[in-house]
Structure formats: C-alpha cells, structure tokens
Amino acid sequence: FCWYVSLLTHAPPAHCNDRYQRDALQPVGSAGHDARRASLGGSQSRCVWSWRCECRASVRYCRWLVAGGTGLAGSEIVKELTQKGNEVISVNSKTVDLTKRDATFEFIQDLKPTCIIDAAAKAGGIVANNDFPVDFLSLNLQIQTNLMDAAHQAKVEKFIFLGSSCIYPRLAPQPMKEEALLTGPLEKTNSAYAIAKIAGIELIKSYRRQFGHKWISVMPTNLYGPNDNFDLTSSHVLPA
C-alpha cells in the first residue's frame, strides 16, 4: 500500500546509524499559530515526531504534510513515514478546512513542507455518492485545488495526489490498465466523485508540464481497514 511513500522518503545514510536524537512531541508550526491550533482539538492531534541525524555529513531535512492524515489511507501513510524517520505533520478538517482557500494558503505558507501527500477527500459508498453528488464533486474539487495551488505558491517540492480506481470506465477491461482512462462511460452512481479525481490528476499533470514540478498522482485500489468509515449508510461495501 505504501510503496510509493517508500520511494520518496529520505532515509539517513548508513554511517549515521549510531547517533540519533529523538525529539519530544511538540505542536506543529510557528509559535504564532500554536494558540489557534490548540483551539482546534489540542496539540496532541497535530504533533511532530521527528528523528534528526547528527553527523558531519550533510543530511537533507524533510518535512512531510499528510492531508487527511487521520483517515484510512492517510493514517497508514503517516505511520509508514514516521517509521522511516521523517518529520510528519498530520492534518485533518479539524486542523484546517481545506475548502477555505485563504485558510489553506496561510496554513501551507506557514508550515512550508517539503512534500505534501493529499489523502484528504469527501469519500463514501454507493448510497452516499448517489444521494449527494454535488458534495462529492464540489468539495473534492475545492480541497484538491486549494491544496495544490497553495503548495505551488509555497514552492513545495513534491506533491502526491491520491486518486481512486473509480476514475476508470465502468466496463473497463480487467485487469484495468492506465490506458483505459477516459475511454468509456463512468459508473453513474459515483461519477461526480470520479470526475473530481480526474480533474485532480489533470491539475497535477498540468503543474508538472507548466512549472516542472516533481508532482505525481497515485491510484490506490479499493481499501478497507483501520480508521475506515463503518457507518452502514455512508460507508463502502466491505466496512458495512
């Protein structure tokens, strides 16, 4: 699941293994924002767990921000990155409302992460997608566009956008291949969500082409597990 995280993490060199300093958990961001963030659920949910290599060699310092870091995919990404010794900032809607453009820009500019992983989304199962298509299209477009535009302004080096397997045609040949994208009609019950994700993929590709950013999109398969949504009405099939 987290293979793409492993490809992009920066592990310290082998000769530094003998000296590490583990930092205490501490609130994320500058002191000027700690009070505001504390009011959004306390510092415990927005803490940094970092390892710093102390040796003479020049070691690149990396700061990862995982949007949607308490959800199903995001929480596993946070765990994987943390285990590899990175500074990881996990945020959710209680930390910052990514549908609010100004707030998102301010938040990203303040933190200046090295890499952003966008695992934040308005997601749900068949019933939720079918009953609330405006929410699934509009909210996801706002979240991903605000986050990408803010990352560009803050000169974030790497950005990983998590898409969805529902971007492929309803009757795509099995097993699905990337070439099947946009070759046929989408599944009607979740077409709004799929269109939002397709737009996100195109925006990543456009940023890469126009500005040369090292940004990519990754398409997870259908997932279930810890921190999933288990509500009988709004969840996916397996959690339900």
Side-chain angles (χ1 to χ4, degrees), residues 64-96:
W64 292 73
L65 185 146
V66 181
T70 57
L72 170 60
S75 60
E76 289 300 314
I77 294 172
V78 168
K79 181 166 64 177
E80 179 77 8
L81 286 170
T82 303
Q83 290 173 350
K84 290 184 177 296
N86 295 274
E87 178 183 355
V88 185
I89 302 163
S90 173
V91 302
N92 56 28
S93 58
K94 294 181 180 179
T95 315
V96 58

Side-chain angles (χ1 to χ4, degrees), residues 19-217:
R19 296 192 65 190
Y20 284 101
Q21 174 183 343
R22 187 174 67 182
D23 294 344
L25 286 170
Q26 52 187 298
V28 174
S30 65
H33 288 263
D34 287 346
R36 175 171 62 86
R37 290 178 188 157
S39 68
L40 298 175
S43 61
Q44 182 66 29
S45 61
R46 292 173 298 284
C47 285
V48 179
W49 185 262
S50 63
W51 293 81
R52 290 188 176 88
C53 175
E54 297 181 340
C55 64
R56 294 182 179 179
S58 176
V59 179
R60 187 176 182 188
Y61 182 75
C62 298
R63 168 177 278 190
W64 292 73
L65 185 146
V66 181
T70 57
L72 170 60
S75 60
E76 289 300 314
I77 294 172
V78 168
K79 181 166 64 177
E80 179 77 8
L81 286 170
T82 303
Q83 290 173 350
K84 290 184 177 296
N86 295 274
E87 178 183 355
V88 185
I89 302 163
S90 173
V91 302
N92 56 28
S93 58
K94 294 181 180 179
T95 315
V96 58
D97 185 350
L98 296 176
T99 65
K100 307 297 184 184
R101 190 167 179 84
D102 290 343
T104 303
F105 271 65
E106 178 186 358
F107 191 77
I108 299 302
Q109 189 64 38
D110 172 40
L111 293 178
K112 295 187 183 302
T114 309
C115 174
I116 293 176
I117 299 180
D118 183 9
K122 168 69 175 178
I126 295 174
V127 173
N129 273 271
N130 189 63
D131 290 350
F132 306 104
V134 173
D135 295 354
F136 281 87
L137 179 58
S138 178
L139 294 177
N140 282 307
L141 286 173
Q142 293 175 59
I143 290 169
Q144 63 204 32
T145 302
N146 289 343
L147 197 53
M148 291 179 200
D149 290 350
H152 171 66
Q153 184 187 66
K155 297 180 172 57
V156 175
E157 182 180 345
K158 295 180 180 180
F159 194 111
I160 303 173
F161 174 66
L162 267 62
S164 170
S165 59
C166 72
I167 65 172
Y168 294 103
R170 179 174 179 270
L171 299 177
Q174 300 294 324
M176 291 185 292
K177 297 182 179 180
E178 292 183 17
E179 293 77 13
L181 185 63
L182 300 178
T183 60
L186 299 166
E187 166 59 42
K188 291 183 178 180
T189 56
N190 60 6
S191 60
Y193 180 73
I195 290 295
K197 288 297 184 179
I198 291 171
I201 295 168
E202 186 63 28
L203 188 54
I204 287 285
K205 185 170 66 175
S206 297
Y207 265 118
R208 195 166 59 236
R209 184 173 68 225
Q210 184 171 340
F211 298 103
H213 290 342
K214 297 176 182 178
W215 293 8
I216 63 172
S217 297

